[in-house]
Amino acid sequence: MRRRRILHGAAVTAAAALLPASVRAVASPAAATDYPDAQWQPASASNWTPSRGSSPRRVDLVVIHVAQQAFTETVGIFRNAAKKVSAHYVVRSGDGFVAQCVREDGIAWHAGNWEYNARSIGIEHEGWIDEPGYFTPVMYERSALLTAGICERYGLPKDRAHIIGHHEVPGSDHTDPGDSWDWDRYIRLVNAA
């Protein structure tokens, strides 16, 4: 029995070594994420900025986005070095699956305003602002758990002053998360988490 486990482990290790690096990065263990229920799906290093200095970066906002894309395409955009955009997290509509694309100590390029990028965590949600069917109960619940965890890690109040929409970022020409996003429900779920 022990020999079988050793052989199985060796086969798994050998198979993993044959995978291209881009696939191995997606299959990284959950321990590589800041949020335990997220899977690491890294953005291109060309699409975010490492934090400077030895002290942790100051975070005082969570910015809520709607991607205007499907989940897989959103993650793919963040991986494309030519796109110059990223977010820390992406939440899938159908099952609430959470991908982490930028570590929280990094500065994701999501808000369109450097000051806001530097002081916030960005969460993209699969879907389109004019298609409220994408805003499923499970997506709201899983996103709210994620946001509650971020608020707890950074000591942020769980309110609309600290959890904002992309459209509320100064200088933004975006309208997401849009009129169909249920802010009352979302903040209630964040506080219940």
Side-chain angles (χ1 to χ4, degrees), residues 19-36:
L19 293 172
S22 61
V23 174
R24 286 195 308 266
V26 170
S28 298
T33 63
D34 295 299
Y35 179 65

Side-chain angles (χ1 to χ4, degrees), residues 49-144:
T49 303
S51 191
R52 306 277 189 248
S54 58
S55 59
R57 86 181 174 98
R58 181 183 68 104
V59 170
D60 61 9
L61 292 171
V62 177
V63 180
I64 302 300
H65 302 265
V66 173
Q68 298 295 100
Q69 284 289 340
F71 176 88
T72 302
E73 287 75 13
T74 302
V75 172
I77 289 167
F78 295 166
R79 287 188 176 152
N80 181 339
K83 294 295 185 177
K84 305 299 181 204
V85 67
S86 63
H88 294 90
Y89 297 98
V90 182
V91 182
R92 192 162 53 203
S93 172
D95 60 2
F97 175 84
V98 177
Q100 183 169 3
C101 303
V102 176
R103 294 294 306 255
E104 289 181 11
D105 62 359
I107 300 169
W109 300 348
H110 61 95
N113 175 315
W114 176 252
E115 177 192 343
Y116 276 66
N117 284 343
R119 58 187 270 228
S120 67
I121 302 294
I123 303 174
E124 285 282 1
H125 296 82
E126 174 181 32
W128 286 261
I129 62 171
D130 58 349
E131 294 185 35
Y134 277 93
F135 304 155
T136 63
V138 70
M139 186 196 71
Y140 274 120
E141 290 163 11
R142 298 283 171 81
S143 176

